[in-house]
């Protein structure tokens, strides 16, 4: 049975999934409300210790995804969403969800790559550029290669990750 914090996190996650699937973005209003309500719920259920759990959890959710954001691996909404989930779930659970989300995203990306002929052609072209002698023009060629990249909503990986963590009782 889910706790009140798990239920709150599930509601935030469901709203984020719906908006990310529809518009490939997670609104700031959702992440701010998710974070604030997570902190308030933790404070009300566990006092100051709960507040500490919420803040440490938010930081644990924020930092790894902020690094991914800096490398353009995910969007800013995903970073803020994981901070909000961390406020609801605490550090250990949000890091478990993060780990599974990254694994699921990698698996989905691999499936997409295997099913995509244009991707394979771009990959081979990019490898040829990297392996060719001389550095002139490589940067421009790689930027052109990156421009044709496909994206998918990260929530496609986050939702099954959260369900996996919940099913394992973490």
């Amino acid at each position: 049975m889910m706790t009140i914090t798990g239920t709150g996190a599930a509601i935030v996650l469901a709203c984020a999934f719906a908006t990310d699937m529809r518009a490939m973005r997670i609104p700031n209003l959702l992440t701010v409300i998710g974070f604030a309500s997570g902190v308030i719920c933790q404070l009300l259920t566990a006092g100051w210790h709960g507040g500490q759990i919420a803040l440490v959890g938010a930081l644990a959710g924020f930092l790894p995804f902020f690094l991914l954001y800096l490398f353009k691996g995910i969007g800013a909404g995903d970073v803020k969403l994981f901070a909000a989930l961390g406020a609801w779930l605490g550090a250990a659970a949000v890091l478990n969800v993060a780990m599974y989300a990254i694994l699921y995203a990698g698996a989905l990306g691999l499936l997409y790559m295997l099913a995509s002929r244009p991707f394979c052609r771009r990959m081979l072209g990019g490898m040829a550029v990297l392996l060719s002698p001389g550095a002139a023009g490589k940067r421009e060629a790689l930027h052109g290669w990156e421009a044709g990249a496909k994206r998918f909503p990260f929530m496609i990986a986050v939702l099954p990750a959260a369900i996996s963590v919940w099913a394992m009782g973490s």
Side-chain angles (χ1 to χ4, degrees):
M1 188 164 144
M2 283 187 100
T3 63
I4 191 166
T5 55
T7 303
I11 291 168
V12 171
L13 196 56
C15 293
F17 181 81
T19 61
D20 201 22
M21 295 305 293
R22 186 174 48 247
M24 289 241 353
R25 70 181 296 272
I26 299 170
N28 287 337
L29 183 62
L30 173 62
T31 58
V32 168
I33 290 172
F35 171 76
S37 58
V39 171
I40 290 168
C41 181
Q42 290 283 12
L43 283 168
L44 292 175
T45 58
W48 291 114
H49 179 68
Q52 286 177 316
I53 290 170
L55 294 177
V56 170
L59 193 60
F62 177 83
L63 285 177
F65 287 99
F66 182 67
L67 293 174
L68 284 174
Y69 169 75
L70 290 176
F71 291 104
K72 299 181 183 181
I74 61 170
D78 298 312
V79 176
K80 294 177 275 187
L81 173 70
F82 268 87
L85 289 176
W88 279 100
L89 300 173
V94 79
L95 289 173
N96 281 335
V97 173
M99 178 188 65
Y100 281 102
I102 291 168
L103 291 173
Y104 284 141
L108 289 168
L110 182 62
L111 288 174
Y112 174 76
M113 287 184 336
L114 294 174
S116 173
R117 284 188 183 167
F119 174 82
C120 290
R121 282 193 294 265
R122 279 195 322 275
M123 179 65 84
L124 289 173
M127 298 275 266
V129 168
L130 287 174
L131 297 175
S132 66
K138 284 188 182 183
R139 185 177 182 136
E140 292 79 18
L142 289 176
H143 283 297
W145 178 62
E146 181 184 278
K150 297 288 183 194
R151 297 177 15 168
F152 62 87
F154 189 48
M155 292 306 295
I156 290 176
V158 175
L159 186 63
I163 292 169
S164 296
V165 170
W166 175 72
M168 289 186 280
S170 296

